[in-house]
Amino acid sequence: EAQVTQNPRYLITVTGKKLTVTCSQNMNHEYMSWYRQDPGLGLRQIYYSMNVEVTDKGDVPEGYKVSRKEKRNFPLILESPSPNQTSLYFCASSLVAGGLYQETQYFGPGTRLLVL
Amino acid sequence: GENVEQHPSTLSVQEGDSAVIKCTYSDSASNYFPWYKQELGKRPQLIIDIRSNVGEKKDQRIAVTLNKTAKHFSLHITETQPEDSAVYFCAASLDSYKLIFGSGTRLLVRP
């Protein structure tokens, strides 16, 4: 089944304790992206990747890191989480990047993070 | 950068009535406008999209219209049903890398 998966789905952690949220897609998509969703703010893009080893900042990259060593995986790293990073996080992927138009993005199930 | 504003934030309609959600964008170079539906506790899913070379697109009970001059686009849902109740997000993109979302509209369809 074609899908985007994320792990963990729920996470409670404490300030400053490094964590990684994994994202994986089995659709051979070139493009992957991370968003955070907060009430009243919609979805805001954190980082995106056009292909292996190619990543760039979205609108809210502060406090986050990403890597794209393999086409299927795009982990989100919080080196020193803070309470303002408490949010619902979504990973998404689409077939290609670099064309004239954005391609349809397929979202993962989401990861709910609470930083105490 | 691009900015997308979405109205209303909440919308309540009677089953069978139509619902309209409106979005405006700031960058005239934006060329792709998708709409996503997010049911409670679920992931956003694309329901319809439109590119800047088209003024209107329909898919059964849903349609999207685009006015490039005014820089706004709208989602129209006809003959609403209770299963249409969800949060709807509009978005705009001016390249193939970044997608800017509106703040969302919570639609409630009353039986």
Side-chain angles (χ1 to χ4, degrees):
Chain A
E1 179 191 353
Q3 58 183 345
V4 181
T5 57
Q6 293 178 229
N7 282 291
R9 296 288 313 281
Y10 304 91
L11 180 60
I12 301 174
T13 189
V14 295
T15 298
K17 187 176 181 182
K18 181 179 178 179
L19 66 91
T20 299
V21 183
T22 65
C23 173
S24 184
Q25 50 89 10
N26 62 0
M27 298 173 279
N28 201 35
H29 283 177
E30 288 185 355
Y31 177 92
M32 298 185 76
S33 183
W34 276 103
Y35 297 89
R36 61 177 288 173
Q37 183 177 15
D38 302 290
L41 297 177
L43 294 109
R44 293 179 293 167
Q45 191 172 39
I46 302 171
Y47 268 95
Y48 61 93
S49 170
M50 291 78 79
N51 214 324
V52 175
E53 302 291 4
V54 184
T55 63
D56 207 348
K57 296 177 181 178
D59 291 321
V60 289
E62 296 78 20
Y64 305 94
K65 285 176 56 178
V66 293
S67 68
R68 187 93 181 271
K69 294 185 170 60
E70 306 166 281
K71 198 171 188 179
R72 64 182 293 126
N73 296 323
F74 189 45
L76 179 70
I77 303 155
L78 284 72
E79 294 270 2
S80 182
S82 61
N84 63 13
Q85 293 178 297
T86 292
S87 188
L88 177 59
Y89 291 87
F90 286 100
C91 178
S93 71
S94 64
L95 185 59
V96 293
L100 183 61
Y101 297 103
Q102 176 80 242
E103 296 280 338
T104 299
Q105 292 197 21
Y106 298 89
F107 283 79
T111 295
R112 192 168 291 279
L113 173 65
L114 173 61
V115 183
L116 300 173
Chain B
E2 174 65 283
N3 182 53
V4 177
E5 293 191 0
Q6 183 171 348
H7 300 280
S9 57
T10 59
L11 179 60
S12 180
V13 300
Q14 196 71 38
E15 182 178 359
D17 287 350
S18 296
V20 180
I21 303 170
K22 298 181 180 181
C23 290
T24 60
Y25 59 99
S26 60
D27 195 324
S28 56
S30 290
N31 63 9
Y32 175 69
F33 308 91
W35 286 88
Y36 283 82
K37 176 184 180 181
Q38 186 179 28
E39 297 175 352
L40 190 62
K42 300 286 181 64
R43 72 192 77 190
Q45 291 195 298
L46 181 76
I47 54 171
I48 196 167
D49 57 9
I50 192 168
R51 294 179 175 177
S52 57
N53 58 351
V54 176
E56 183 175 359
K57 185 176 179 181
K58 282 187 77 172
D59 183 3
Q60 300 182 340
R61 293 187 300 108
I62 60 173
V64 57
T65 58
L66 172 64
N67 183 327
K68 287 190 291 183
T69 303
K71 291 189 285 186
H72 68 71
F73 56 112
S74 301
L75 178 71
H76 304 253
I77 306 174
T78 58
E79 300 171 20
T80 53
Q81 302 166 2
E83 52 264 39
D84 294 329
S85 296
V87 178
Y88 291 81
F89 292 98
C90 64
S93 174
L94 50 77
D95 55 38
S96 60
Y97 308 129
K98 286 192 169 185
L99 198 56
I100 307 299
F101 284 84
S103 54
T105 296
R106 185 173 299 278
L107 174 65
L108 174 65
V109 180
R110 306 187 305 274

